[in-house]
Amino acid sequence: MGFYDLYDAMLPGEEQDLVAAAGDFCQGEFSAHLLESHNKGQPYDAVWIHKWARAGFLGLQTPREFGGHDASFVCKIRVAQTMAEHSFAAAFALNNLQGSATRVARSGSDKQRDALLQGMLSGAILCAPAMSEPGGGSDLGALTTSARRVDGGWLLTGTKSWITNGQIIRCANLLARVIGGAQAGQDIASFLVPLEDGATFRREEIHMPGAQSFRLSHLIFEGHFVPEWSLFNPPGEALKASMASVNAARVHVAAMCVASTRAALREAVDHAQSRHAFGKPLIRHQGMAWELAEVSLRLEAANALVWRAAAAIQAGAPALALAAQAKKFAVDVALWGIDQCLRAMGATGASAAHRLALQSAETRLAAFGDGTSEMLLERIGKELAKEYGLPPIQQGKASA
Ligand SMILES: Cc1cc2nc3c(=O)[nH]c(=O)nc-3n(C[C@H](O)[C@H](O)[C@H](O)COP(=O)(O)OP(=O)(O)OC[C@H]3O[C@@H](n4cnc5c(N)ncnc54)[C@H](O)[C@@H]3O)c2cc1C
């Protein structure tokens, strides 16, 4: 049984074709370009986003009636994995765009779909979720960006931070606290905000050495007007909707970490077979074989856990603990495992000739997006009694 067979067995034929097409796209020129731009300290060229859109992948999960593929969650994961073998950041950033299109297609109003959806599918209107703020990302309930009602719409004031593709997006699905009207705790709404740089909106690039392909940015709003139709989730519903999408995204990030680690291990094993030291291939030195064996062991365990979490999400289960466990474990395996692979190759592993430094720098950031490791442990801890607790002893029944 192959490494991804458990996932692929869940896919109908046309979804397997999508995964194969994504694999073909990522091979060759794109893969080489990802490595070359990383080595120059630049993001990959945005022209590839438009090629990805033309190949239909920004509409991966958009319903067919709107021009998408209506693909399943597991298909989305497999497509992202094929790209994450070449670059974790590119896979993360492209999926972020398609996820925004999916949300607008599935939950947007007619007006929102008319204004945005075709542009989101063609790549003309790139969109990202904008939740985090400079004051903190884990504690979303404490966000301070405000939305004040005015004639015909809303005025937004505040700063959103760490926004993926923030340097190039033309729309943000933004969380803000509505001033007046809603009771505290029920006052967070989301807005689909068209973005044109100008007097009331600007962006500030966040420089992330080694991980430019995320194109991270602050988005700064100072009394920025958005029309009435841009309200996406009303106050009281937005935080819950955002957290539901974050939960699935955790499994998705975990799946990409697995793919990036597998690619690193393949590179290291390949090197250890062809490189000789002390009269034999590196891999035939027990110390080296055991180091890489340990990576393979944790990688396989992460893959099995991620598959279980993915299957649960696909089946519609909340899978709160599983999603958090999958992300926490897969990220830990990636951070440790890719580093082990890099080290196992000697100096060349860290050089521009190999992809290990790219994967190491990019997966490092997987530990933050969609829940930090501490927040994931918090979530798992809260689910312990539900997931693993014994059934309560019923009154009056003697224990055997
Ligand atoms: C590559 C990348 C892409 C991203 N893309 C987006 C995006 O597109 N849109 C978006 O909105 N955001 C995005 N983010 C932001 C991301 O969601 C946040 O980084 C994340 O939520 C953590 O927030 P923070 O960085 O502000 O850390 P903080 O919330 O300030 O946390 C700092 C540290 O304190 C720990 N901590 C916090 N609370 C507790 C607690 N109760 N107990 C123990 N420890 C705690 C955290 O685990 C962390 O280690 C992205 C981040 C990265 C790195």
Side-chain angles (χ1 to χ4, degrees), residues 24 116 144 202 242 292 303 311 384:
D24 290 345
L116 300 170
T144 60
R202 65 195 166 85
S242 298
L292 295 179
N303 196 34
L384 283 176

Side-chain angles (χ1 to χ4, degrees), residues 92-116:
F92 185 95
L94 283 165
N95 180 68
N96 202 285
L97 299 173
Q98 87 86 16
S100 297
T102 305
R103 274 192 289 286
V104 170
R106 287 183 182 168
S107 313
S109 64
D110 287 346
K111 174 74 186 157
Q112 288 164 347
R113 280 196 287 260
D114 288 349
L116 300 170

Side-chain angles (χ1 to χ4, degrees), residues 370-385:
D370 297 306
T372 62
S373 296
E374 290 79 5
M375 299 321 293
L376 297 174
L377 288 173
E378 273 286 301
R379 169 47 63 198
I380 298 163
K382 283 185 180 141
E383 302 295 313
L384 283 176

Side-chain angles (χ1 to χ4, degrees), residues 92 96 128-133 136-139 161-164 208 214 216 365 368-375 378:
F92 185 95
N96 202 285
M131 301 181 278
S132 309
E133 300 192 349
S138 303
D139 185 7
S161 296
W162 311 109
I163 306 307
T164 302
M208 290 298 244
F214 289 104
L216 296 177
L365 299 187
F368 307 116
D370 297 306
T372 62
S373 296
E374 290 79 5
M375 299 321 293
E378 273 286 301

Side-chain angles (χ1 to χ4, degrees), residues 104-158:
V104 170
R106 287 183 182 168
S107 313
S109 64
D110 287 346
K111 174 74 186 157
Q112 288 164 347
R113 280 196 287 260
D114 288 349
L116 300 170
L117 187 56
Q118 287 313 311
M120 292 170 99
L121 298 181
S122 72
I125 302 176
L126 303 178
C127 186
M131 301 181 278
S132 309
E133 300 192 349
S138 303
D139 185 7
L140 277 184
L143 64 84
T144 60
T145 296
S146 66
R148 182 185 297 279
R149 210 174 231 306
V150 290
D151 265 0
W154 308 77
L155 287 186
L156 300 177
T157 299

